[in-house]
Amino acid sequence: MAPPPKRRATPKSKSRSRQTAEENSDERPLRKSGEGRKVQSPRKSPRQIKSSSKGAARSKVDSSVSQTSTNVLSLDSLAKLNAYNEKEQYREKARAVEKEREREKREKVVTGRMLKERGKHRRRDGEDEEKRDVRRKKRVVSGALMEEGRGRRGGYLSSDSGDGGRRKRICWIAIGLIALLLIILIPVGVLVIGKQNSSNSNDPSGGSSSSGKPNNSNLNGVSENDIPTAAKGSILDPFTWYDTQDFNVTYTNDTVGGLPVMGLNSTWNDTATANQYVPPLNQKFNYGQMPIRGVNVGGWLSIEPFITPSLFNSYDQNLNIVDEYKLSQHLGASGAAQVIEKHYSTFVTEQTFADIQAAGFDHVRIPYSYWAVTTYPGDPYVPKISWRYLLRGIEYARKYGLRVNLDLHAVPGSQNGWNHSGRQGAIGWLNGTDGSLNAQRSLDIHNQLSTFFAQPRYDNVIGIYGLLNEPRMTALPIQPVLDWTTTAISNIRQNGIKQTIAFGDGFLGLPNWQGKLQGIEGLVMDAHQYVIFNVQQIAFTHQTKINFACSGWSAQMTQSINVATGYGPTLCGEWSQADTDCAQYLNNVNVGARWTGNMNLGPTGSQLTPACPPNSGVCECTDANAAPSDYSDTYKQWLLMNAEAQMTSFEIGWGWFYWTWQTESAVQWSWALGMQAGILPQKVWDRNFNCTQTVPSFAGLPENY
């Protein structure tokens, strides 16, 4: 099914994302081979030994004869000499045979004594006579085979014949077959193991041990001695990594832009295609003409409590562990590194990107935080470990033909004071005592990032380079934010980034961007559109919400993409099908919801009046947070239609990125869970509703959840 046609609608109203109440009020290295090995002379076979001894004897006779006469030997002399040589050879054979017989007799005597002694011990143990006879016979046969194990062929002398010779031949044939099987099976076993290890690297589910921890099999054959002493225990030491799956564990301290390349392979392939509607990575994606259909991998490298509540819900409320800052601080440097790296390793894997491609997406937005690059004095964050997981995530996206939108989700000081910026509370970026310092720090970080990602390997797989997620321009001075944005763009371009650069709308409202930053080429504005963070819009009925998704969002997008009425190129970087803000920890840890009127964020951010539709009964979150199996068919129909309506409107612009791919429990915020529940399309383009149909009244569907 081809992408739905674009359409325009009359402007109605606008929304701002994640607003507080006061805003709502309006490859391995080669190793050297060993040197200086001793070369041994080949051993002579018995036949060679015999031949040489014959030659020595003949040489002695010839020498003695030649010393007694200088004349040519007569025929008679030659005949005598030949007779003498034959007699000597016969005597040698006879002596050898006699010696062999004497040795065998001695061995039999010894064997008999051993069997006798063993029989005594068996009698002491009370074994019956019949069993002793059977075992004695077996041991005698085995002993005979061992004693007669010298065959007639192959240069060995033997005086045995008859049944003994037959047994010897059988024994030697058996030994030969066993040796042949070992020669064949050992290399095959090694090959099979190698294929299994190789297949693990191609298995999207990744390789893990029975304990659930990654098996890190690519460290096999790598010595810890390969790691320089100065690098041991550092982020460049793969033996300290929780997960080495699909990383290049060959040590290197090379950097680009001061950022390590450790973990990357030296080659890459950009021929993959996400699906039949988009070109492969090595061909141009026509932004503005082809709609972006993307998804975020939120809560992975920038932790959000509502996405992974398990990281937060085991702590006493009095500890006030509400964000990644407090979590890292509470766990301490070592504990935080262990807990958070395990989260990096397990929450998003190669299988995640395989599933995203299978759902029909063509882009993936990867939020990450500044501590992937560096930390500053006083920061409790786990430093730099997330960097290699970011790089691995990009390589997984490349493998499945997914273009990447790099999203710097958190900068020093926090650009919005929300928990997904790392630290909940005051805004310390371009604001407060260290506001200017933190602004410069964020420019320095972009200088490193843009230098690194300007490498040719990222020309095709990175489609969009994001400046900063959700700077809260309703609480920050607007002009300093614009000045910072202009400086950052200039620096990034000078470092070689050619891709489209995305900047956030800052919740100013899309029409208010007309005339701002319009003289700079290669930009796109990133708007985040949610109705549930606005107390007026969250109160819409189910029918009104879908009408707004069709008419309100489409009107705003139509206005924004026109440079005469808005900024110009615009995409929706975040949206959700959720119709309440009931998900656990969505508004912050241990804080309630607008929907039920118990969201208490203090004097400037509280919503203590229920915000569900008026006259709809008691507003409650129990049913909103229920398992999808408990949803009514009508509610499932509404959720699917609400999602399809928003997709249609956002594709009037450059397209969209759903928030988010997966959560632990918030179904209406997870595309993966929603798709399983049948409330999101199985393929992003496979839709039944495109805003041209009449929206049902959804009579009978309760409005209070």
Side-chain angles (χ1 to χ4, degrees), residues 149 157 270 318 689:
L157 292 173
D270 286 335
N318 294 329
F689 183 78

PDB file of all heavy atoms in Angstrom, residues 149 157 270 318 689:
ATOM      1  N   GLY A 149      50.565 -57.311  18.518  1.00  0.00           N
ATOM      2  CA  GLY A 149      50.154 -56.164  17.727  1.00  0.00           C
ATOM      3  C   GLY A 149      51.169 -55.676  16.734  1.00  0.00           C
ATOM      4  O   GLY A 149      51.117 -54.541  16.311  1.00  0.00           O
ATOM      5  N   LEU A 157      59.097 -57.264  11.605  1.00  0.00           N
ATOM      6  CA  LEU A 157      59.257 -58.720  11.584  1.00  0.00           C
ATOM      7  C   LEU A 157      58.311 -59.351  12.584  1.00  0.00           C
ATOM      8  O   LEU A 157      58.019 -58.791  13.634  1.00  0.00           O
ATOM      9  CB  LEU A 157      60.691 -59.097  11.949  1.00  0.00           C
ATOM     10  CG  LEU A 157      61.758 -58.700  10.924  1.00  0.00           C
ATOM     11  CD1 LEU A 157      63.116 -58.998  11.515  1.00  0.00           C
ATOM     12  CD2 LEU A 157      61.554 -59.452   9.624  1.00  0.00           C
ATOM     13  N   ASP A 270      26.926  -0.141   2.925  1.00  0.00           N
ATOM     14  CA  ASP A 270      25.765   0.737   2.892  1.00  0.00           C
ATOM     15  C   ASP A 270      24.768   0.353   1.802  1.00  0.00           C
ATOM     16  O   ASP A 270      24.048   1.205   1.283  1.00  0.00           O
ATOM     17  CB  ASP A 270      26.198   2.194   2.693  1.00  0.00           C
ATOM     18  CG  ASP A 270      26.819   2.793   3.940  1.00  0.00           C
ATOM     19  OD1 ASP A 270      26.514   2.323   5.049  1.00  0.00           O
ATOM     20  OD2 ASP A 270      27.603   3.736   3.806  1.00  0.00           O
ATOM     21  N   ASN A 318      11.631   8.262  50.074  1.00  0.00           N
ATOM     22  CA  ASN A 318      12.396   9.287  50.791  1.00  0.00           C
ATOM     23  C   ASN A 318      13.796   9.495  50.211  1.00  0.00           C
ATOM     24  O   ASN A 318      14.421  10.530  50.443  1.00  0.00           O
ATOM     25  CB  ASN A 318      12.508   8.926  52.273  1.00  0.00           C
ATOM     26  CG  ASN A 318      11.162   8.950  52.970  1.00  0.00           C
ATOM     27  OD1 ASN A 318      10.284   9.732  52.602  1.00  0.00           O
ATOM     28  ND2 ASN A 318      10.989   8.093  53.966  1.00  0.00           N
ATOM     29  N   PHE A 689      -7.235   4.084   8.060  1.00  0.00           N
ATOM     30  CA  PHE A 689      -7.815   5.418   8.257  1.00  0.00           C
ATOM     31  C   PHE A 689      -6.794   6.473   7.845  1.00  0.00           C
ATOM     32  O   PHE A 689      -5.620   6.391   8.217  1.00  0.00           O
ATOM     33  CB  PHE A 689      -8.200   5.599   9.730  1.00  0.00           C
ATOM     34  CG  PHE A 689      -8.869   6.908  10.026  1.00  0.00           C
ATOM     35  CD1 PHE A 689     -10.208   7.101   9.718  1.00  0.00           C
ATOM     36  CD2 PHE A 689      -8.169   7.951  10.608  1.00  0.00           C
ATOM     37  CE1 PHE A 689     -10.836   8.316   9.989  1.00  0.00           C
ATOM     38  CE2 PHE A 689      -8.777   9.159  10.877  1.00  0.00           C
ATOM     39  CZ  PHE A 689     -10.119   9.343  10.566  1.00  0.00           C
TER      40      PHE A 689
END
